[in-house]
């Protein structure tokens, strides 16, 4: 009896460990792959794929009733994306979800619009597109203010707006079953902020990341990264991005409080050795510093 009980415990333990492993068996250590200036696709889980074009990424979700596509990137990338989807399924693309208004992520959706896809975005996206229209960016069919739940073929994609941070229409997407986030531009693992932080609100960026950290998620797929970086990361990269911004802002403020007000001098003297191993540290950190100088000096 004791032997049977011991064996039963071992079987239960093995089942639990197997389930635990299966639930988190995502390729967090594998590079996205492909040629540096080409494109590649990596399957993350059942029906969930990451598509990369150069250093841009999106996700697409294949269901029994059709496909959900996020940012089409640009006309060339969108055509390649459509070809990759056709390798996986003959189901139509039913929805295209825009992350925000910046053209380098959202151009090229006509190829899906022509096939009947509906487009989804935050409400503010519409005004921004009217101010800066593009013939290769179809306007959305569905808009929302705070949150929207998209369901298709038994899959759920939650869309949430966190206020202004990078522009004023950026949304975060969450796959609740997989506990995976798709985050565009405001999190780029192991890389300092992009150049002069165009269209970023530094303080709101930090606030948004704090709120995103409270979401029920274990993993993050981000919209930038070379072919050498993983397709998916653990959710800790959200905190790491926030800490970088907080450290950057604190270092610039400290120097300014001590009497250094020249942006050129700040670019020379402010260093963040904790992040020396991050991509583009040497060339972009000075630009990041000047952007934070503007935030404190001009209120912009």
């Amino acid at each position: 009896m004791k032997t049977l009980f011991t064996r039963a415990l071992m079987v239960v333990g093995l089942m639990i460990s197997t389930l635990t492993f299966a639930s988190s068996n995502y390729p967090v250590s594998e590079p996205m792959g492909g040629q540096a200036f080409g494109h590649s696709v990596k399957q993350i889980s059942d029906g969930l794929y990451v598509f990369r074009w150069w250093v841009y990424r999106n996700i697409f979700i294949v269901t029994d009733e059709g496909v959900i596509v996020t940012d089409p990137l640009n006309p060339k990338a969108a055509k390649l994306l459509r070809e990759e989807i056709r390798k996986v399924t003959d189901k139509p693309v039913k929805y295209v979800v825009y992350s925000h208004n910046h053209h380098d992520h959202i151009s090229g959706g006509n190829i899906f619009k022509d096939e009947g896809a509906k487009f989804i975005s935050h409400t503010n996206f519409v005004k921004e597109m009217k101010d800066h229209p593009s013939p290769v960016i179809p306007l959305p069919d569905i808009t929302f203010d705070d949150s929207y739940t998209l369901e298709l073929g038994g899959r759920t994609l939650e869309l949430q707006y966190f206020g202004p941070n990078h522009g004023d229409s950026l949304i975060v997407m969450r796959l609740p079953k997989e506990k995976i986030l798709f985050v565009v531009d405001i999190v780029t693992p192991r890389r300092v902020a992009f150049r002069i932080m165009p269209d970023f609100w530094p303080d709101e960026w930090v606030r948004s990341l704090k709120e995103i950290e409270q979401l029920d998620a274990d993993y993050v797929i981000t919209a930038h990264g070379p072919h050498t970086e993983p397709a998916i990361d653990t959710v800790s990269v959200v905190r790491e991005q926030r800490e970088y911004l907080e450290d950057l802002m604190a270092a610039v403020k400290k120097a300014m409080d001590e009497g250094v007000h020249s942006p050129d001098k700040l670019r020379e003297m402010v260093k963040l050795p904790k992040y020396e191993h991050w991509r583009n540290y040497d060339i972009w950190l000075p630009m990041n510093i000047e952007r934070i100088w503007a935030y404190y000096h001009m209120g912009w």
Side-chain angles (χ1 to χ4, degrees):
M1 179 66 71
K2 183 177 180 180
T3 302
L4 288 174
F5 179 73
T6 302
R7 288 179 177 173
L9 282 178
M10 290 176 64
V11 170
V12 171
L14 180 60
M15 290 174 62
I16 292 173
S17 64
T18 300
L19 288 172
T20 301
F21 177 78
S23 67
S24 58
N25 190 22
Y26 299 126
V28 295
S29 299
E30 299 176 16
M32 183 71 202
Q35 297 297 315
F37 295 100
H39 78 283
S40 54
V41 176
K42 185 173 284 292
Q43 184 172 5
I44 301 300
S45 65
D46 182 30
L48 173 62
Y49 298 81
V50 176
F51 172 84
R52 176 190 67 87
W53 179 86
W54 185 32
V55 294
Y56 287 84
R57 298 158 182 228
N58 62 20
I59 64 172
F60 64 91
I61 305 164
V62 177
T63 80
D64 293 337
E65 297 178 7
V67 182
I68 300 171
V69 166
T70 61
D71 296 340
L73 307 181
N74 61 69
K76 179 179 179 180
K79 183 178 179 181
L80 294 169
L81 172 61
R82 183 179 179 276
E83 291 173 0
E84 293 296 340
I85 291 171
R86 286 290 166 262
K87 294 177 183 178
V88 177
T89 180
D90 59 359
K91 301 292 183 182
V93 172
K94 289 294 189 69
Y95 295 98
V96 176
V97 182
Y98 287 137
S99 64
H100 65 312
N101 64 300
H102 292 150
H103 292 206
D104 60 324
H105 286 271
I106 60 170
S107 301
N110 309 61
I111 193 170
F112 302 116
K113 185 71 173 180
D114 291 344
E115 296 178 354
K118 292 185 177 180
F119 287 64
I120 304 174
S121 78
H122 186 264
T123 304
N124 293 346
F125 178 98
V126 178
K127 179 183 181 302
E128 290 161 345
M129 284 301 101
K130 288 181 178 178
D131 290 342
H132 303 281
S134 168
V136 294
I137 302 178
L139 290 176
D141 304 285
I142 301 169
T143 61
F144 65 94
D145 292 325
D146 297 318
S147 62
Y148 185 86
T149 299
L150 175 60
E151 296 181 342
L152 182 69
R155 303 298 289 265
T156 300
L157 183 65
E158 297 175 349
L159 316 178
Q160 190 166 346
Y161 173 67
F162 288 89
N165 41 52
H166 180 46
D168 196 17
S169 64
L170 188 139
I171 62 171
V172 171
M173 309 179 202
R174 187 176 82 100
L175 291 154
K177 180 181 178 182
E178 297 86 351
K179 294 188 177 182
I180 294 175
L181 303 178
F182 178 51
V183 183
V184 178
D185 283 352
I186 57 173
V187 178
T188 302
R190 298 167 294 277
R191 194 202 73 181
V192 301
F194 180 63
R195 299 180 70 88
I196 59 166
M197 302 184 188
D199 208 10
F200 281 99
W201 308 43
D203 55 338
E204 299 287 2
W205 188 356
V206 171
R207 174 197 55 75
S208 295
L209 292 175
K210 288 180 179 178
E211 295 177 8
I212 293 167
E213 288 177 71
Q214 302 306 309
L215 297 177
D216 185 13
D218 295 329
Y219 298 89
V220 178
I221 297 169
T222 57
H224 282 290
H227 64 301
T228 53
E229 288 290 306
I232 185 170
D233 281 278
T234 61
V235 75
S236 61
V237 297
V238 178
R239 170 182 51 79
E240 291 166 4
Q241 182 79 75
R242 171 180 56 80
E243 289 175 348
Y244 168 75
L245 293 169
E246 291 175 334
D247 291 346
L248 171 68
M249 295 177 75
V252 173
K253 188 175 189 306
K254 181 176 183 295
M256 293 180 72
D257 287 346
E258 292 173 353
V260 181
H261 295 289
S262 163
D264 294 328
K265 185 65 175 177
L266 288 168
R267 286 165 57 109
E268 292 177 3
M269 66 177 293
V270 174
K271 305 295 179 184
L272 297 174
K274 176 181 175 181
Y275 304 98
E276 285 179 342
H277 63 290
W278 280 22
R279 297 192 308 283
N280 297 321
Y281 174 88
D282 290 332
I283 57 175
W284 288 1
L285 177 64
M287 301 185 206
N288 288 185
I289 291 166
E290 185 157 353
R291 173 66 185 91
I292 300 304
W293 165 83
Y295 169 76
Y296 287 122
H297 184 71
M298 302 169 60
W300 169 76

